[in-house]
Amino acid sequence: MIVWIIFLASIFIFLALDLGVFNKTPHIISSREASSWTLLWVTLSLLFSGVIYLLYEHNYIANPTELKPQQAAIKYITGYLIELSLSIDNIFVIAIIFSSFKIPQKYQHRVLFWGIIGAVFFRGLMIFLGVALINKFSWMTYVFGAFLIFTAMKMLFTKEEEDFNPQDSKIYKIIGRFFPIKSEISGQKFFIKENKIRYVTPLFIALIVIELMDVLFALDSVPAILAITSDPFLVFSSNIFAILGLRSMYFFLANMLEKFSYLEYSLIAILTFVGIKMLLVHYFKFPEWVSLSFIALSLLTGIIVSLQKNKVSHKN
């Protein structure tokens, strides 16, 4: 429990510094600033695999699946890459939500900050339930595996949908039943009070919608990482590092999403692979390096193909 407490405390200390020091004054996050933070988070996330190795080598953390230190480190990196790749879809949705509610760029960081606080809680809850289900009912691996393959096929064959408008969603109408909604942005406030009436601002509604979207995305990402390992600490830490890096990655990629259109096929390949892995878990176990290599190669291929296609289209 000491390791868990230190890990969670470190996360919340950094988040407090993030909002109270690094981003105390609302400002538009430039591509340069976002790229620096993205590089920092990816570096920290990968370096944490060394911490994982030490924790499991010296038995500082519970090891229910009896992993060797090297296995634990590889499973962590594999899980982190899966969560990072699946978060790309999340970035698309966040961009649409901000655009729909006309949230100014300088206030978007505050919304994402509080969104991450909620994501840490909900992801932790879903991971706990997922691990508990797999440990209690071994057949749940087949359910999760089939669900991931179904999701991959749905992504492959579903045609492009019309633009999603959060203002037409049920959550918007439900919030309106309890709080009067102010359509104008009032700085970075979630609530404002006028004539003794408390109003919610578009920032608050955007936050709630983003939280609900994250829960929906977790329905894919949590089973995906459970295909790699059911070790609670590895699943949680890889999830959290991917979530913490999501904000900077959003500001880095938000204006370049169209350039990486072929990454969706990488996600389909990854979801299909981990789904098959879960279906075969009781009959055949893929070596750790195979899973890591396949996921890394899928992401790299999607990026390279996207960039090459963009070059060809610009020439034409």
Side-chain angles (χ1 to χ4, degrees), residues 203-263:
L203 262 70
F204 179 78
I205 300 175
L207 171 63
I208 298 300
V209 175
I210 287 174
E211 288 287 9
L212 291 175
M213 288 297 128
D214 182 74
V215 171
L216 292 176
F217 277 108
L219 294 176
D220 293 337
S221 64
V222 171
I225 195 172
L226 289 175
I228 304 301
T229 178
S230 59
D231 183 296
F233 187 72
L234 295 180
V235 176
F236 185 72
S237 58
S238 57
N239 248 276
I240 295 308
F241 271 107
I243 292 172
L244 291 175
L246 179 62
R247 285 170 308 155
S248 56
M249 188 176 293
Y250 164 76
F251 291 110
F252 179 60
L253 292 177
N255 297 322
M256 300 187 294
L257 290 175
E258 292 182 359
K259 294 182 180 179
F260 298 99
S261 56
Y262 284 85
L263 267 178

Side-chain angles (χ1 to χ4, degrees), residues 95-284:
I96 293 170
I97 292 171
F98 281 150
S99 175
S100 177
F101 285 113
K102 297 180 174 59
I103 307 297
Q105 284 189 343
K106 63 180 180 180
Y107 301 137
Q108 291 176 5
H109 179 275
R110 178 177 173 83
V111 177
L112 290 178
F113 171 87
W114 289 106
I116 282 174
I117 296 292
V120 169
F121 172 77
F122 287 116
R123 289 292 178 100
L125 181 62
M126 294 183 73
I127 288 167
F128 173 79
L129 293 174
V131 171
L133 285 172
I134 283 184
N135 289 335
K136 189 170 182 62
F137 308 106
S138 60
W139 51 266
M140 283 300 298
T141 56
Y142 301 129
V143 176
F144 287 158
F147 177 72
L148 291 175
I149 293 175
F150 168 77
T151 302
M153 294 303 101
K154 186 178 179 181
M155 288 175 65
L156 181 61
F157 295 111
T158 300
K159 296 180 180 179
E160 290 188 10
E161 300 177 358
E162 297 180 1
D163 291 340
F164 171 69
N165 184 4
Q167 292 183 2
D168 294 332
S169 64
K170 290 182 179 179
I171 186 63
Y172 189 91
K173 296 172 182 176
I174 291 173
I175 292 174
R177 293 177 184 174
F178 295 95
F179 297 97
I181 298 173
K182 199 78 172 177
S183 58
E184 299 86 11
I185 300 290
S186 181
Q188 57 178 347
K189 296 178 180 178
F190 291 123
F191 302 91
I192 58 172
K193 199 170 184 179
E194 292 182 359
N195 300 322
K196 298 182 180 181
I197 300 174
R198 185 180 294 274
Y199 294 87
V200 296
T201 68
L203 262 70
F204 179 78
I205 300 175
L207 171 63
I208 298 300
V209 175
I210 287 174
E211 288 287 9
L212 291 175
M213 288 297 128
D214 182 74
V215 171
L216 292 176
F217 277 108
L219 294 176
D220 293 337
S221 64
V222 171
I225 195 172
L226 289 175
I228 304 301
T229 178
S230 59
D231 183 296
F233 187 72
L234 295 180
V235 176
F236 185 72
S237 58
S238 57
N239 248 276
I240 295 308
F241 271 107
I243 292 172
L244 291 175
L246 179 62
R247 285 170 308 155
S248 56
M249 188 176 293
Y250 164 76
F251 291 110
F252 179 60
L253 292 177
N255 297 322
M256 300 187 294
L257 290 175
E258 292 182 359
K259 294 182 180 179
F260 298 99
S261 56
Y262 284 85
L263 267 178
E264 184 175 2
Y265 295 101
S266 298
L267 304 186
I268 292 170
I270 291 170
L271 285 174
T272 303
F273 174 77
V274 294
I276 292 173
K277 185 175 180 180
M278 292 195 89
L279 292 176
L280 298 178
V281 69
H282 296 127
Y283 308 99
F284 177 78

Side-chain angles (χ1 to χ4, degrees), residues 46-63:
L46 294 177
L47 288 176
F48 192 74
S49 62
V51 176
I52 293 289
Y53 185 94
L54 294 174
L55 289 175
Y56 284 78
E57 182 181 33
H58 298 288
N59 296 317
Y60 291 147
I61 189 80
N63 189 359

Side-chain angles (χ1 to χ4, degrees), residues 65-86:
T65 53
E66 299 180 352
L67 295 172
K68 295 179 180 179
Q70 185 177 1
Q71 286 179 313
I74 292 176
K75 283 181 179 292
Y76 163 79
I77 294 174
T78 306
Y80 171 70
L81 288 178
I82 287 178
E83 296 304 316
L84 199 63
S85 60
L86 293 177

